[in-house]
mmCIF file with all atom_site columns, all heavy atoms in Angstrom:
data_model
loop_
_atom_site.group_PDB
_atom_site.id
_atom_site.type_symbol
_atom_site.label_atom_id
_atom_site.label_alt_id
_atom_site.label_comp_id
_atom_site.label_asym_id
_atom_site.label_entity_id
_atom_site.label_seq_id
_atom_site.pdbx_PDB_ins_code
_atom_site.Cartn_x
_atom_site.Cartn_y
_atom_site.Cartn_z
_atom_site.occupancy
_atom_site.B_iso_or_equiv
_atom_site.pdbx_formal_charge
_atom_site.auth_seq_id
_atom_site.auth_comp_id
_atom_site.auth_asym_id
_atom_site.auth_atom_id
_atom_site.pdbx_PDB_model_num
ATOM 1   N N   . ILE Q 1 74 ? -75.865 143.142 113.514 1.00 96.00 ? 74 ILE Q N   1
ATOM 2   C CA  . ILE Q 1 74 ? -76.283 143.253 112.128 1.00 96.00 ? 74 ILE Q CA  1
ATOM 3   C C   . ILE Q 1 74 ? -75.446 144.305 111.398 1.00 96.00 ? 74 ILE Q C   1
ATOM 4   O O   . ILE Q 1 74 ? -75.273 144.166 110.139 1.00 96.00 ? 74 ILE Q O   1
ATOM 5   C CB  . ILE Q 1 74 ? -77.768 143.668 112.099 1.00 96.00 ? 74 ILE Q CB  1
ATOM 6   C CG1 . ILE Q 1 74 ? -78.404 143.373 110.716 1.00 96.00 ? 74 ILE Q CG1 1
ATOM 7   C CG2 . ILE Q 1 74 ? -77.999 145.158 112.441 1.00 96.00 ? 74 ILE Q CG2 1
ATOM 8   C CD1 . ILE Q 1 74 ? -79.851 143.497 110.712 1.00 96.00 ? 74 ILE Q CD1 1
ATOM 9   N N   . SER Q 1 75 ? -74.852 145.248 112.088 1.00 96.00 ? 75 SER Q N   1
ATOM 10  C CA  . SER Q 1 75 ? -73.952 146.182 111.427 1.00 96.00 ? 75 SER Q CA  1
ATOM 11  C C   . SER Q 1 75 ? -72.722 145.479 110.895 1.00 96.00 ? 75 SER Q C   1
ATOM 12  O O   . SER Q 1 75 ? -72.230 145.774 109.786 1.00 96.00 ? 75 SER Q O   1
ATOM 13  C CB  . SER Q 1 75 ? -73.531 147.273 112.356 1.00 96.00 ? 75 SER Q CB  1
ATOM 14  O OG  . SER Q 1 75 ? -74.632 147.866 112.963 1.00 96.00 ? 75 SER Q OG  1
ATOM 15  N N   . VAL Q 1 76 ? -72.217 144.506 111.660 1.00 97.00 ? 76 VAL Q N   1
ATOM 16  C CA  . VAL Q 1 76 ? -71.068 143.775 111.217 1.00 97.00 ? 76 VAL Q CA  1
ATOM 17  C C   . VAL Q 1 76 ? -71.427 142.920 109.988 1.00 97.00 ? 76 VAL Q C   1
ATOM 18  O O   . VAL Q 1 76 ? -70.645 142.739 109.074 1.00 97.00 ? 76 VAL Q O   1
ATOM 19  C CB  . VAL Q 1 76 ? -70.536 142.902 112.384 1.00 97.00 ? 76 VAL Q CB  1
ATOM 20  C CG1 . VAL Q 1 76 ? -69.371 142.023 111.950 1.00 97.00 ? 76 VAL Q CG1 1
ATOM 21  C CG2 . VAL Q 1 76 ? -70.148 143.780 113.579 1.00 97.00 ? 76 VAL Q CG2 1
ATOM 22  N N   . ILE Q 1 77 ? -72.632 142.429 110.029 1.00 96.00 ? 77 ILE Q N   1
ATOM 23  C CA  . ILE Q 1 77 ? -73.067 141.534 108.858 1.00 96.00 ? 77 ILE Q CA  1
ATOM 24  C C   . ILE Q 1 77 ? -73.189 142.423 107.591 1.00 96.00 ? 77 ILE Q C   1
ATOM 25  O O   . ILE Q 1 77 ? -72.846 141.999 106.497 1.00 96.00 ? 77 ILE Q O   1
ATOM 26  C CB  . ILE Q 1 77 ? -74.395 140.844 109.190 1.00 96.00 ? 77 ILE Q CB  1
ATOM 27  C CG1 . ILE Q 1 77 ? -74.148 139.824 110.298 1.00 96.00 ? 77 ILE Q CG1 1
ATOM 28  C CG2 . ILE Q 1 77 ? -74.995 140.184 107.978 1.00 96.00 ? 77 ILE Q CG2 1
ATOM 29  C CD1 . ILE Q 1 77 ? -75.430 139.201 110.826 1.00 96.00 ? 77 ILE Q CD1 1
ATOM 30  N N   . PHE Q 1 78 ? -73.663 143.657 107.757 1.00 96.00 ? 78 PHE Q N   1
ATOM 31  C CA  . PHE Q 1 78 ? -73.713 144.559 106.619 1.00 96.00 ? 78 PHE Q CA  1
ATOM 32  C C   . PHE Q 1 78 ? -72.322 144.794 106.018 1.00 96.00 ? 78 PHE Q C   1
ATOM 33  O O   . PHE Q 1 78 ? -72.122 144.801 104.773 1.00 96.00 ? 78 PHE Q O   1
ATOM 34  C CB  . PHE Q 1 78 ? -74.321 145.935 106.946 1.00 96.00 ? 78 PHE Q CB  1
ATOM 35  C CG  . PHE Q 1 78 ? -75.861 145.973 106.850 1.00 96.00 ? 78 PHE Q CG  1
ATOM 36  C CD1 . PHE Q 1 78 ? -76.604 146.332 107.969 1.00 96.00 ? 78 PHE Q CD1 1
ATOM 37  C CD2 . PHE Q 1 78 ? -76.459 145.609 105.684 1.00 96.00 ? 78 PHE Q CD2 1
ATOM 38  C CE1 . PHE Q 1 78 ? -77.979 146.373 107.880 1.00 96.00 ? 78 PHE Q CE1 1
ATOM 39  C CE2 . PHE Q 1 78 ? -77.830 145.656 105.574 1.00 96.00 ? 78 PHE Q CE2 1
ATOM 40  C CZ  . PHE Q 1 78 ? -78.594 146.016 106.658 1.00 96.00 ? 78 PHE Q CZ  1
ATOM 41  N N   . CYS Q 1 79 ? -71.305 144.969 106.907 1.00 96.00 ? 79 CYS Q N   1
ATOM 42  C CA  . CYS Q 1 79 ? -69.945 145.106 106.362 1.00 96.00 ? 79 CYS Q CA  1
ATOM 43  C C   . CYS Q 1 79 ? -69.486 143.843 105.689 1.00 96.00 ? 79 CYS Q C   1
ATOM 44  O O   . CYS Q 1 79 ? -68.792 143.897 104.656 1.00 96.00 ? 79 CYS Q O   1
ATOM 45  C CB  . CYS Q 1 79 ? -69.004 145.419 107.552 1.00 96.00 ? 79 CYS Q CB  1
ATOM 46  S SG  . CYS Q 1 79 ? -69.323 147.023 108.293 1.00 96.00 ? 79 CYS Q SG  1
ATOM 47  N N   . GLU Q 1 80 ? -69.853 142.683 106.218 1.00 96.00 ? 80 GLU Q N   1
ATOM 48  C CA  . GLU Q 1 80 ? -69.445 141.451 105.593 1.00 96.00 ? 80 GLU Q CA  1
ATOM 49  C C   . GLU Q 1 80 ? -70.030 141.316 104.206 1.00 96.00 ? 80 GLU Q C   1
ATOM 50  O O   . GLU Q 1 80 ? -69.382 140.792 103.261 1.00 96.00 ? 80 GLU Q O   1
ATOM 51  C CB  . GLU Q 1 80 ? -69.893 140.271 106.464 1.00 96.00 ? 80 GLU Q CB  1
ATOM 52  C CG  . GLU Q 1 80 ? -69.295 138.907 106.169 1.00 96.00 ? 80 GLU Q CG  1
ATOM 53  C CD  . GLU Q 1 80 ? -67.919 138.778 106.673 1.00 96.00 ? 80 GLU Q CD  1
ATOM 54  O OE1 . GLU Q 1 80 ? -67.454 139.632 107.422 1.00 96.00 ? 80 GLU Q OE1 1
ATOM 55  O OE2 . GLU Q 1 80 ? -67.247 137.811 106.283 1.00 96.00 ? 80 GLU Q OE2 1
ATOM 56  N N   . ALA Q 1 81 ? -71.243 141.847 104.034 1.00 96.00 ? 81 ALA Q N   1
ATOM 57  C CA  . ALA Q 1 81 ? -71.914 141.790 102.724 1.00 96.00 ? 81 ALA Q CA  1
ATOM 58  C C   . ALA Q 1 81 ? -71.083 142.526 101.707 1.00 96.00 ? 81 ALA Q C   1
ATOM 59  O O   . ALA Q 1 81 ? -71.052 142.187 100.494 1.00 96.00 ? 81 ALA Q O   1
ATOM 60  C CB  . ALA Q 1 81 ? -73.294 142.370 102.816 1.00 96.00 ? 81 ALA Q CB  1
ATOM 61  N N   . VAL Q 1 82 ? -70.439 143.630 102.137 1.00 96.00 ? 82 VAL Q N   1
ATOM 62  C CA  . VAL Q 1 82 ? -69.561 144.363 101.217 1.00 96.00 ? 82 VAL Q CA  1
ATOM 63  C C   . VAL Q 1 82 ? -68.431 143.523 100.662 1.00 96.00 ? 82 VAL Q C   1
ATOM 64  O O   . VAL Q 1 82 ? -68.157 143.541 99.489  1.00 96.00 ? 82 VAL Q O   1
ATOM 65  C CB  . VAL Q 1 82 ? -69.008 145.678 101.894 1.00 96.00 ? 82 VAL Q CB  1
ATOM 66  C CG1 . VAL Q 1 82 ? -67.940 146.282 101.110 1.00 96.00 ? 82 VAL Q CG1 1
ATOM 67  C CG2 . VAL Q 1 82 ? -70.161 146.604 102.194 1.00 96.00 ? 82 VAL Q CG2 1
ATOM 68  N N   . ALA Q 1 83 ? -67.836 142.700 101.552 1.00 97.00 ? 83 ALA Q N   1
ATOM 69  C CA  . ALA Q 1 83 ? -66.810 141.797 101.118 1.00 97.00 ? 83 ALA Q CA  1
ATOM 70  C C   . ALA Q 1 83 ? -67.369 140.783 100.119 1.00 97.00 ? 83 ALA Q C   1
ATOM 71  O O   . ALA Q 1 83 ? -66.686 140.414 99.166  1.00 97.00 ? 83 ALA Q O   1
ATOM 72  C CB  . ALA Q 1 83 ? -66.178 141.077 102.331 1.00 97.00 ? 83 ALA Q CB  1
ATOM 73  N N   . ILE Q 1 84 ? -68.578 140.332 100.358 1.00 97.00 ? 84 ILE Q N   1
ATOM 74  C CA  . ILE Q 1 84 ? -69.197 139.293 99.489  1.00 97.00 ? 84 ILE Q CA  1
ATOM 75  C C   . ILE Q 1 84 ? -69.409 139.908 98.134  1.00 97.00 ? 84 ILE Q C   1
ATOM 76  O O   . ILE Q 1 84 ? -69.245 139.229 97.082  1.00 97.00 ? 84 ILE Q O   1
ATOM 77  C CB  . ILE Q 1 84 ? -70.450 138.698 100.157 1.00 97.00 ? 84 ILE Q CB  1
ATOM 78  C CG1 . ILE Q 1 84 ? -70.023 137.865 101.380 1.00 97.00 ? 84 ILE Q CG1 1
ATOM 79  C CG2 . ILE Q 1 84 ? -71.177 137.855 99.148  1.00 97.00 ? 84 ILE Q CG2 1
ATOM 80  C CD1 . ILE Q 1 84 ? -71.134 137.312 102.116 1.00 97.00 ? 84 ILE Q CD1 1
ATOM 81  N N   . TYR Q 1 85 ? -69.826 141.171 98.048  1.00 96.00 ? 85 TYR Q N   1
ATOM 82  C CA  . TYR Q 1 85 ? -69.990 141.851 96.765  1.00 96.00 ? 85 TYR Q CA  1
ATOM 83  C C   . TYR Q 1 85 ? -68.653 141.775 95.961  1.00 96.00 ? 85 TYR Q C   1
ATOM 84  O O   . TYR Q 1 85 ? -68.656 141.497 94.831  1.00 96.00 ? 85 TYR Q O   1
ATOM 85  C CB  . TYR Q 1 85 ? -70.379 143.310 96.925  1.00 96.00 ? 85 TYR Q CB  1
ATOM 86  C CG  . TYR Q 1 85 ? -71.672 143.624 97.546  1.00 96.00 ? 85 TYR Q CG  1
ATOM 87  C CD1 . TYR Q 1 85 ? -71.921 144.854 98.138  1.00 96.00 ? 85 TYR Q CD1 1
ATOM 88  C CD2 . TYR Q 1 85 ? -72.693 142.694 97.561  1.00 96.00 ? 85 TYR Q CD2 1
ATOM 89  C CE1 . TYR Q 1 85 ? -73.116 145.175 98.734  1.00 96.00 ? 85 TYR Q CE1 1
ATOM 90  C CE2 . TYR Q 1 85 ? -73.909 142.991 98.192  1.00 96.00 ? 85 TYR Q CE2 1
ATOM 91  C CZ  . TYR Q 1 85 ? -74.099 144.202 98.719  1.00 96.00 ? 85 TYR Q CZ  1
ATOM 92  O OH  . TYR Q 1 85 ? -75.324 144.541 99.334  1.00 96.00 ? 85 TYR Q OH  1
ATOM 93  N N   . GLY Q 1 86 ? -67.582 142.050 96.705  1.00 96.00 ? 86 GLY Q N   1
ATOM 94  C CA  . GLY Q 1 86 ? -66.273 141.986 96.022  1.00 96.00 ? 86 GLY Q CA  1
ATOM 95  C C   . GLY Q 1 86 ? -65.915 140.605 95.517  1.00 96.00 ? 86 GLY Q C   1
ATOM 96  O O   . GLY Q 1 86 ? -65.379 140.442 94.433  1.00 96.00 ? 86 GLY Q O   1
ATOM 97  N N   . VAL Q 1 87 ? -66.248 139.568 96.334  1.00 97.00 ? 87 VAL Q N   1
ATOM 98  C CA  . VAL Q 1 87 ? -65.950 138.191 95.913  1.00 97.00 ? 87 VAL Q CA  1
ATOM 99  C C   . VAL Q 1 87 ? -66.777 137.860 94.639  1.00 97.00 ? 87 VAL Q C   1
ATOM 100 O O   . VAL Q 1 87 ? -66.302 137.272 93.698  1.00 97.00 ? 87 VAL Q O   1
ATOM 101 C CB  . VAL Q 1 87 ? -66.264 137.197 97.047  1.00 97.00 ? 87 VAL Q CB  1
ATOM 102 C CG1 . VAL Q 1 87 ? -66.102 135.794 96.537  1.00 97.00 ? 87 VAL Q CG1 1
ATOM 103 C CG2 . VAL Q 1 87 ? -65.338 137.489 98.180  1.00 97.00 ? 87 VAL Q CG2 1
ATOM 104 N N   . ILE Q 1 88 ? -68.073 138.207 94.690  1.00 97.00 ? 88 ILE Q N   1
ATOM 105 C CA  . ILE Q 1 88 ? -68.957 137.920 93.529  1.00 97.00 ? 88 ILE Q CA  1
ATOM 106 C C   . ILE Q 1 88 ? -68.417 138.576 92.240  1.00 97.00 ? 88 ILE Q C   1
ATOM 107 O O   . ILE Q 1 88 ? -68.294 137.951 91.188  1.00 97.00 ? 88 ILE Q O   1
ATOM 108 C CB  . ILE Q 1 88 ? -70.382 138.374 93.844  1.00 97.00 ? 88 ILE Q CB  1
ATOM 109 C CG1 . ILE Q 1 88 ? -71.003 137.514 94.947  1.00 97.00 ? 88 ILE Q CG1 1
ATOM 110 C CG2 . ILE Q 1 88 ? -71.266 138.367 92.596  1.00 97.00 ? 88 ILE Q CG2 1
ATOM 111 C CD1 . ILE Q 1 88 ? -72.357 138.045 95.392  1.00 97.00 ? 88 ILE Q CD1 1
ATOM 112 N N   . MET Q 1 89 ? -68.049 139.858 92.398  1.00 96.00 ? 89 MET Q N   1
ATOM 113 C CA  . MET Q 1 89 ? -67.593 140.587 91.201  1.00 96.00 ? 89 MET Q CA  1
ATOM 114 C C   . MET Q 1 89 ? -66.255 139.944 90.776  1.00 96.00 ? 89 MET Q C   1
ATOM 115 O O   . MET Q 1 89 ? -66.017 139.832 89.528  1.00 96.00 ? 89 MET Q O   1
ATOM 116 C CB  . MET Q 1 89 ? -67.382 142.069 91.483  1.00 96.00 ? 89 MET Q CB  1
ATOM 117 C CG  . MET Q 1 89 ? -68.603 142.858 91.459  1.00 96.00 ? 89 MET Q CG  1
ATOM 118 S SD  . MET Q 1 89 ? -69.611 142.540 89.982  1.00 96.00 ? 89 MET Q SD  1
ATOM 119 C CE  . MET Q 1 89 ? -68.531 143.029 88.664  1.00 96.00 ? 89 MET Q CE  1
ATOM 120 N N   . GLY Q 1 90 ? -65.376 139.562 91.680  1.00 96.00 ? 90 GLY Q N   1
ATOM 121 C CA  . GLY Q 1 90 ? -64.139 138.976 91.274  1.00 96.00 ? 90 GLY Q CA  1
ATOM 122 C C   . GLY Q 1 90 ? -64.321 137.725 90.503  1.00 96.00 ? 90 GLY Q C   1
ATOM 123 O O   . GLY Q 1 90 ? -63.726 137.545 89.404  1.00 96.00 ? 90 GLY Q O   1
ATOM 124 N N   . ILE Q 1 91 ? -65.285 136.892 90.949  1.00 96.00 ? 91 ILE Q N   1
ATOM 125 C CA  . ILE Q 1 91 ? -65.515 135.612 90.239  1.00 96.00 ? 91 ILE Q CA  1
ATOM 126 C C   . ILE Q 1 91 ? -66.147 135.855 88.885  1.00 96.00 ? 91 ILE Q C   1
ATOM 127 O O   . ILE Q 1 91 ? -65.836 135.181 87.887  1.00 96.00 ? 91 ILE Q O   1
ATOM 128 C CB  . ILE Q 1 91 ? -66.313 134.667 91.159  1.00 96.00 ? 91 ILE Q CB  1
ATOM 129 C CG1 . ILE Q 1 91 ? -65.514 134.311 92.360  1.00 96.00 ? 91 ILE Q CG1 1
ATOM 130 C CG2 . ILE Q 1 91 ? -66.765 133.485 90.392  1.00 96.00 ? 91 ILE Q CG2 1
ATOM 131 C CD1 . ILE Q 1 91 ? -66.174 133.372 93.333  1.00 96.00 ? 91 ILE Q CD1 1
ATOM 132 N N   . ILE Q 1 92 ? -67.026 136.847 88.819  1.00 96.00 ? 92 ILE Q N   1
ATOM 133 C CA  . ILE Q 1 92 ? -67.641 137.170 87.466  1.00 96.00 ? 92 ILE Q CA  1
ATOM 134 C C   . ILE Q 1 92 ? -66.533 137.648 86.540  1.00 96.00 ? 92 ILE Q C   1
ATOM 135 O O   . ILE Q 1 92 ? -66.503 137.229 85.374  1.00 96.00 ? 92 ILE Q O   1
ATOM 136 C CB  . ILE Q 1 92 ? -68.716 138.253 87.670  1.00 96.00 ? 92 ILE Q CB  1
ATOM 137 C CG1 . ILE Q 1 92 ? -69.902 137.678 88.338  1.00 96.00 ? 92 ILE Q CG1 1
ATOM 138 C CG2 . ILE Q 1 92 ? -69.118 138.808 86.281  1.00 96.00 ? 92 ILE Q CG2 1
ATOM 139 C CD1 . ILE Q 1 92 ? -71.029 138.684 88.626  1.00 96.00 ? 92 ILE Q CD1 1
ATOM 140 N N   . MET Q 1 93 ? -65.626 138.484 87.023  1.00 95.00 ? 93 MET Q N   1
ATOM 141 C CA  . MET Q 1 93 ? -64.598 139.025 86.169  1.00 95.00 ? 93 MET Q CA  1
ATOM 142 C C   . MET Q 1 93 ? -63.614 137.953 85.711  1.00 95.00 ? 93 MET Q C   1
ATOM 143 O O   . MET Q 1 93 ? -63.160 137.985 84.580  1.00 95.00 ? 93 MET Q O   1
ATOM 144 C CB  . MET Q 1 93 ? -63.859 140.156 86.897  1.00 95.00 ? 93 MET Q CB  1
ATOM 145 C CG  . MET Q 1 93 ? -64.711 141.434 87.008  1.00 95.00 ? 93 MET Q CG  1
ATOM 146 S SD  . MET Q 1 93 ? -64.112 142.484 88.269  1.00 95.00 ? 93 MET Q SD  1
ATOM 147 C CE  . MET Q 1 93 ? -62.630 143.082 87.553  1.00 95.00 ? 93 MET Q CE  1
ATOM 148 N N   . ILE Q 1 94 ? -63.323 137.037 86.604  1.00 95.00 ? 94 ILE Q N   1
ATOM 149 C CA  . ILE Q 1 94 ? -62.346 135.970 86.201  1.00 95.00 ? 94 ILE Q CA  1
ATOM 150 C C   . ILE Q 1 94 ? -62.998 135.148 85.083  1.00 95.00 ? 94 ILE Q C   1
ATOM 151 O O   . ILE Q 1 94 ? -62.344 134.738 84.132  1.00 95.00 ? 94 ILE Q O   1
ATOM 152 C CB  . ILE Q 1 94 ? -62.099 134.993 87.399  1.00 95.00 ? 94 ILE Q CB  1
ATOM 153 C CG1 . ILE Q 1 94 ? -61.267 135.753 88.469  1.00 95.00 ? 94 ILE Q CG1 1
ATOM 154 C CG2 . ILE Q 1 94 ? -61.343 133.795 86.900  1.00 95.00 ? 94 ILE Q CG2 1
ATOM 155 C CD1 . ILE Q 1 94 ? -61.081 134.879 89.653  1.00 95.00 ? 94 ILE Q CD1 1
ATOM 156 N N   . GLY Q 1 95 ? -64.323 134.994 85.126  1.00 93.00 ? 95 GLY Q N   1
ATOM 157 C CA  . GLY Q 1 95 ? -64.994 134.220 84.044  1.00 93.00 ? 95 GLY Q CA  1
ATOM 158 C C   . GLY Q 1 95 ? -65.039 134.989 82.749  1.00 93.00 ? 95 GLY Q C   1
ATOM 159 O O   . GLY Q 1 95 ? -65.263 134.353 81.660  1.00 93.00 ? 95 GLY Q O   1
#
Side-chain angles (χ1 to χ4, degrees):
Chain Q
I74 200 171
S75 306
V76 177
I77 293 173
F78 273 125
C79 294
E80 192 79 8
V82 169
I84 293 178
Y85 297 157
V87 174
I88 291 172
M89 279 313 298
I91 294 180
I92 291 177
M93 288 159 72
I94 293 174

